[in-house]
Amino acid sequence: MLVGGRVLDASTGERYHQALDLRRGTVTTTATVDTRGRSTRLRYEVLLDRAHPRTGLVSVRVTPRWTGRLQVRDVLGAGARLTPGALSRVRASAGRALTELEVRAKGTRTTVAEAARLHVPGRAAVTAASAGLSVSRTATLRVRAGRTYSFTKVV
């Protein structure tokens, strides 16, 4: 998430808390992050479903204590920084709701594909981009202090 052009990172926030719920299969992270004098409460929930082993869900709830513009960026990437030159792009597409990325390992010729669907508040403007071994979407919306906004990514 970007506020005032700066990234919000829950791990650097105050009142940071992370909990694993084995019964529900979730990891929940909460924190309050300050950037440029703007305080924002974040709540991330990550869910993995054993009945659908290749599916995951990330839900982010954002409660700003300020009024202004919020940007949330969703990225699918193929780890190019970790394995430079080892992967080649086969196909990539990025749209308002869906991104898809398919890459091939140069040595084994194994192809891996990943797709993600992003649900954003209705009035958010969404732009999409594709470059190299990544695809992304950025949702931008005006937010009001004290209201909670939800973003959900299904991979």
Side-chain angles (χ1 to χ4, degrees), residues 53-68:
R54 291 185 173 85
T55 303
L57 181 131
V58 178
S59 176
V60 180
R61 292 179 49 186
V62 181
T63 307
R65 295 186 179 139
W66 49 271
T67 297

PDB file of all heavy atoms in Angstrom, residues 53-68:
ATOM      1  N   PRO A  53      -5.566 -27.027  -2.557  1.00  0.00           N
ATOM      2  CA  PRO A  53      -4.171 -26.760  -2.214  1.00  0.00           C
ATOM      3  C   PRO A  53      -3.451 -25.735  -3.087  1.00  0.00           C
ATOM      4  O   PRO A  53      -2.425 -25.221  -2.690  1.00  0.00           O
ATOM      5  CB  PRO A  53      -3.498 -28.131  -2.330  1.00  0.00           C
ATOM      6  CG  PRO A  53      -4.397 -28.954  -3.165  1.00  0.00           C
ATOM      7  CD  PRO A  53      -5.774 -28.419  -2.951  1.00  0.00           C
ATOM      8  N   ARG A  54      -3.965 -25.403  -4.231  1.00  0.00           N
ATOM      9  CA  ARG A  54      -3.304 -24.417  -5.088  1.00  0.00           C
ATOM     10  C   ARG A  54      -3.999 -23.058  -5.048  1.00  0.00           C
ATOM     11  O   ARG A  54      -3.801 -22.231  -5.925  1.00  0.00           O
ATOM     12  CB  ARG A  54      -3.229 -24.947  -6.515  1.00  0.00           C
ATOM     13  CG  ARG A  54      -2.274 -26.113  -6.632  1.00  0.00           C
ATOM     14  CD  ARG A  54      -2.117 -26.557  -8.069  1.00  0.00           C
ATOM     15  NE  ARG A  54      -1.086 -27.546  -8.195  1.00  0.00           N
ATOM     16  CZ  ARG A  54      -1.269 -28.850  -8.012  1.00  0.00           C
ATOM     17  NH1 ARG A  54      -2.456 -29.311  -7.689  1.00  0.00           N
ATOM     18  NH2 ARG A  54      -0.276 -29.690  -8.156  1.00  0.00           N
ATOM     19  N   THR A  55      -4.819 -22.860  -4.025  1.00  0.00           N
ATOM     20  CA  THR A  55      -5.569 -21.616  -3.903  1.00  0.00           C
ATOM     21  C   THR A  55      -5.240 -20.936  -2.582  1.00  0.00           C
ATOM     22  O   THR A  55      -5.152 -21.585  -1.551  1.00  0.00           O
ATOM     23  CB  THR A  55      -7.088 -21.890  -3.964  1.00  0.00           C
ATOM     24  OG1 THR A  55      -7.381 -22.560  -5.186  1.00  0.00           O
ATOM     25  CG2 THR A  55      -7.887 -20.607  -3.890  1.00  0.00           C
ATOM     26  N   GLY A  56      -5.063 -19.633  -2.634  1.00  0.00           N
ATOM     27  CA  GLY A  56      -4.822 -18.851  -1.427  1.00  0.00           C
ATOM     28  C   GLY A  56      -5.608 -17.560  -1.490  1.00  0.00           C
ATOM     29  O   GLY A  56      -6.010 -17.107  -2.565  1.00  0.00           O
ATOM     30  N   LEU A  57      -5.849 -16.970  -0.339  1.00  0.00           N
ATOM     31  CA  LEU A  57      -6.604 -15.733  -0.260  1.00  0.00           C
ATOM     32  C   LEU A  57      -5.886 -14.787   0.689  1.00  0.00           C
ATOM     33  O   LEU A  57      -5.449 -15.196   1.771  1.00  0.00           O
ATOM     34  CB  LEU A  57      -8.015 -16.016   0.263  1.00  0.00           C
ATOM     35  CG  LEU A  57      -8.914 -14.808   0.368  1.00  0.00           C
ATOM     36  CD1 LEU A  57     -10.246 -15.113  -0.285  1.00  0.00           C
ATOM     37  CD2 LEU A  57      -9.124 -14.444   1.813  1.00  0.00           C
ATOM     38  N   VAL A  58      -5.738 -13.536   0.274  1.00  0.00           N
ATOM     39  CA  VAL A  58      -5.179 -12.491   1.125  1.00  0.00           C
ATOM     40  C   VAL A  58      -6.220 -11.389   1.206  1.00  0.00           C
ATOM     41  O   VAL A  58      -6.656 -10.859   0.187  1.00  0.00           O
ATOM     42  CB  VAL A  58      -3.859 -11.920   0.556  1.00  0.00           C
ATOM     43  CG1 VAL A  58      -3.337 -10.805   1.462  1.00  0.00           C
ATOM     44  CG2 VAL A  58      -2.825 -13.008   0.389  1.00  0.00           C
ATOM     45  N   SER A  59      -6.620 -11.067   2.420  1.00  0.00           N
ATOM     46  CA  SER A  59      -7.592 -10.002   2.644  1.00  0.00           C
ATOM     47  C   SER A  59      -6.903  -8.902   3.441  1.00  0.00           C
ATOM     48  O   SER A  59      -6.252  -9.172   4.452  1.00  0.00           O
ATOM     49  CB  SER A  59      -8.791 -10.544   3.422  1.00  0.00           C
ATOM     50  OG  SER A  59      -9.687  -9.499   3.718  1.00  0.00           O
ATOM     51  N   VAL A  60      -7.033  -7.669   2.971  1.00  0.00           N
ATOM     52  CA  VAL A  60      -6.436  -6.525   3.648  1.00  0.00           C
ATOM     53  C   VAL A  60      -7.546  -5.546   3.981  1.00  0.00           C
ATOM     54  O   VAL A  60      -8.313  -5.146   3.102  1.00  0.00           O
ATOM     55  CB  VAL A  60      -5.376  -5.827   2.769  1.00  0.00           C
ATOM     56  CG1 VAL A  60      -4.772  -4.640   3.506  1.00  0.00           C
ATOM     57  CG2 VAL A  60      -4.300  -6.794   2.338  1.00  0.00           C
ATOM     58  N   ARG A  61      -7.620  -5.197   5.257  1.00  0.00           N
ATOM     59  CA  ARG A  61      -8.566  -4.157   5.698  1.00  0.00           C
ATOM     60  C   ARG A  61      -7.750  -2.963   6.151  1.00  0.00           C
ATOM     61  O   ARG A  61      -6.829  -3.096   6.960  1.00  0.00           O
ATOM     62  CB  ARG A  61      -9.443  -4.683   6.816  1.00  0.00           C
ATOM     63  CG  ARG A  61     -10.390  -5.768   6.308  1.00  0.00           C
ATOM     64  CD  ARG A  61     -11.258  -6.336   7.373  1.00  0.00           C
ATOM     65  NE  ARG A  61     -11.887  -5.274   8.132  1.00  0.00           N
ATOM     66  CZ  ARG A  61     -12.621  -5.466   9.214  1.00  0.00           C
ATOM     67  NH1 ARG A  61     -12.817  -6.683   9.657  1.00  0.00           N
ATOM     68  NH2 ARG A  61     -13.156  -4.461   9.852  1.00  0.00           N
ATOM     69  N   VAL A  62      -8.069  -1.805   5.596  1.00  0.00           N
ATOM     70  CA  VAL A  62      -7.326  -0.581   5.846  1.00  0.00           C
ATOM     71  C   VAL A  62      -8.261   0.429   6.506  1.00  0.00           C
ATOM     72  O   VAL A  62      -9.334   0.718   5.978  1.00  0.00           O
ATOM     73  CB  VAL A  62      -6.795   0.006   4.512  1.00  0.00           C
ATOM     74  CG1 VAL A  62      -5.998   1.271   4.753  1.00  0.00           C
ATOM     75  CG2 VAL A  62      -5.997  -1.023   3.759  1.00  0.00           C
ATOM     76  N   THR A  63      -7.852   0.947   7.662  1.00  0.00           N
ATOM     77  CA  THR A  63      -8.629   1.984   8.340  1.00  0.00           C
ATOM     78  C   THR A  63      -7.726   3.197   8.531  1.00  0.00           C
ATOM     79  O   THR A  63      -6.938   3.251   9.484  1.00  0.00           O
ATOM     80  CB  THR A  63      -9.164   1.489   9.697  1.00  0.00           C
ATOM     81  OG1 THR A  63      -9.862   0.256   9.509  1.00  0.00           O
ATOM     82  CG2 THR A  63     -10.106   2.517  10.319  1.00  0.00           C
ATOM     83  N   PRO A  64      -7.826   4.178   7.624  1.00  0.00           N
ATOM     84  CA  PRO A  64      -6.987   5.371   7.775  1.00  0.00           C
ATOM     85  C   PRO A  64      -7.540   6.289   8.867  1.00  0.00           C
ATOM     86  O   PRO A  64      -8.747   6.333   9.094  1.00  0.00           O
ATOM     87  CB  PRO A  64      -7.075   6.035   6.400  1.00  0.00           C
ATOM     88  CG  PRO A  64      -8.401   5.590   5.862  1.00  0.00           C
ATOM     89  CD  PRO A  64      -8.637   4.221   6.423  1.00  0.00           C
ATOM     90  N   ARG A  65      -6.657   6.989   9.517  1.00  0.00           N
ATOM     91  CA  ARG A  65      -7.065   8.022  10.481  1.00  0.00           C
ATOM     92  C   ARG A  65      -6.867   9.391   9.844  1.00  0.00           C
ATOM     93  O   ARG A  65      -6.628  10.371  10.534  1.00  0.00           O
ATOM     94  CB  ARG A  65      -6.264   7.867  11.765  1.00  0.00           C
ATOM     95  CG  ARG A  65      -6.568   6.559  12.455  1.00  0.00           C
ATOM     96  CD  ARG A  65      -5.910   6.450  13.791  1.00  0.00           C
ATOM     97  NE  ARG A  65      -6.268   5.167  14.388  1.00  0.00           N
ATOM     98  CZ  ARG A  65      -5.419   4.404  15.039  1.00  0.00           C
ATOM     99  NH1 ARG A  65      -4.178   4.782  15.207  1.00  0.00           N
ATOM    100  NH2 ARG A  65      -5.821   3.263  15.539  1.00  0.00           N
ATOM    101  N   TRP A  66      -6.969   9.406   8.530  1.00  0.00           N
ATOM    102  CA  TRP A  66      -6.783  10.603   7.723  1.00  0.00           C
ATOM    103  C   TRP A  66      -7.684  10.502   6.503  1.00  0.00           C
ATOM    104  O   TRP A  66      -8.183   9.438   6.176  1.00  0.00           O
ATOM    105  CB  TRP A  66      -5.302  10.731   7.294  1.00  0.00           C
ATOM    106  CG  TRP A  66      -4.768   9.450   6.724  1.00  0.00           C
ATOM    107  CD1 TRP A  66      -4.176   8.433   7.421  1.00  0.00           C
ATOM    108  CD2 TRP A  66      -4.828   9.011   5.371  1.00  0.00           C
ATOM    109  NE1 TRP A  66      -3.861   7.397   6.588  1.00  0.00           N
ATOM    110  CE2 TRP A  66      -4.238   7.723   5.313  1.00  0.00           C
ATOM    111  CE3 TRP A  66      -5.302   9.572   4.198  1.00  0.00           C
ATOM    112  CZ2 TRP A  66      -4.120   6.998   4.145  1.00  0.00           C
ATOM    113  CZ3 TRP A  66      -5.182   8.849   3.021  1.00  0.00           C
ATOM    114  CH2 TRP A  66      -4.595   7.581   3.006  1.00  0.00           C
ATOM    115  N   THR A  67      -7.864  11.600   5.820  1.00  0.00           N
ATOM    116  CA  THR A  67      -8.660  11.648   4.592  1.00  0.00           C
ATOM    117  C   THR A  67      -7.725  11.996   3.446  1.00  0.00           C
ATOM    118  O   THR A  67      -6.892  12.890   3.579  1.00  0.00           O
ATOM    119  CB  THR A  67      -9.787  12.692   4.721  1.00  0.00           C
ATOM    120  OG1 THR A  67     -10.649  12.274   5.785  1.00  0.00           O
ATOM    121  CG2 THR A  67     -10.581  12.832   3.438  1.00  0.00           C
ATOM    122  N   GLY A  68      -7.841  11.278   2.340  1.00  0.00           N
ATOM    123  CA  GLY A  68      -6.967  11.546   1.197  1.00  0.00           C
ATOM    124  C   GLY A  68      -6.972  10.392   0.225  1.00  0.00           C
ATOM    125  O   GLY A  68      -7.945   9.652   0.119  1.00  0.00           O
TER     126      GLY A  68
END
